[in-house]
Amino acid sequence: MKKYQKQFRIVKMAQVLDASLHGYYRWIRMGCPDEKTRDREMIDAIRNVQQENSYRTGSPRVHKELKKKGHSIGRNKVARLMSENDLSCRTKRAYIRTTVSDPKKKPAPNLLQRDFVARAPDTKWVSDITYVRTVRGWAYLCVIIDLYSRLGGRMVFV
């Protein structure tokens, strides 16, 4: 359009080419940057934002940071550039704090003293608890085993 602006009216060319006048004038105002050059610059800016945030930011947050720094770019373009250049954020692993220990309290006594052989039923029981992530949230699984028979006496899944 810029090349033919002396021969044809800009408004008419925009209609024929199905382009927006606003987009054309914005392109002129920005110094007619090549789209690939602009994309490379934006990818570098995205990398910088991610590096500043320990690679823990996704496209919405990166977009917000780029806007703060004065870059003119859409949220979907940020998402597309991140996807195309494998700039996804690192997700934080799920973590549950299971024990809140009181350093002033004395630990429970070790009654077994690592002697895991039982000579009669119902004399030595051991248990363990674990956490299982489900669709509904975290479920707690506790298993209690008689050391004599090695059979689980109780299994609670809440």
Side-chain angles (χ1 to χ4, degrees), residues 9-158:
R9 292 180 45 221
I10 297 290
V11 175
K12 197 64 171 170
M13 285 191 289
Q15 287 174 346
V16 170
L17 296 172
D18 195 28
S20 75
L21 277 176
H22 174 75
Y24 171 73
Y25 285 119
R26 194 168 116 208
W27 181 73
I28 293 292
R29 190 174 58 243
M30 292 176 69
C32 310
D34 177 43
E35 189 173 348
K36 287 184 181 179
T37 304
R38 185 160 168 11
D39 283 356
R40 278 190 297 257
E41 290 170 1
M42 291 314 303
I43 290 165
D44 289 340
I46 290 169
R47 278 196 180 106
N48 289 339
V49 169
Q50 281 198 317
Q51 192 173 20
E52 289 167 7
N53 294 291
S54 303
Y55 301 94
R56 297 247 183 246
T57 50
S59 60
R61 207 180 217 166
V62 168
H63 175 254
K64 195 183 239 183
E65 289 292 321
L66 290 174
K67 284 289 197 186
K68 281 182 189 174
K69 293 180 178 190
H71 293 283
S72 175
I73 188 168
R75 192 181 67 216
N76 290 334
K77 179 132 185 181
V78 171
R80 182 178 58 80
L81 288 174
M82 286 179 70
S83 176
E84 288 173 355
N85 294 282
D86 197 31
L87 295 173
S88 59
C89 67
R90 295 181 191 154
T91 55
K92 203 171 187 180
R93 248 185 98 191
Y95 173 77
I96 285 189
R97 185 172 179 178
T98 59
T99 307
V100 181
S101 58
D102 185 357
K104 297 172 193 157
K105 285 193 176 180
K106 201 173 178 183
N110 184 356
L111 300 175
L112 287 180
Q113 299 295 324
R114 302 199 54 81
D115 178 18
F116 298 111
V117 178
R119 305 212 180 347
D122 295 330
T123 56
K124 293 181 182 179
W125 292 78
V126 292
S127 70
D128 195 14
I129 187 168
T130 190
Y131 307 89
V132 181
R133 190 176 206 163
T134 66
V135 177
R136 290 184 175 174
W138 288 97
Y140 306 95
L141 174 65
C142 177
V143 178
I144 303 169
I145 299 173
D146 180 7
L147 287 179
Y148 180 78
S149 63
R150 303 286 178 173
L151 295 176
R154 300 233 190 284
M155 193 156 96
V156 182
F157 195 67
V158 180

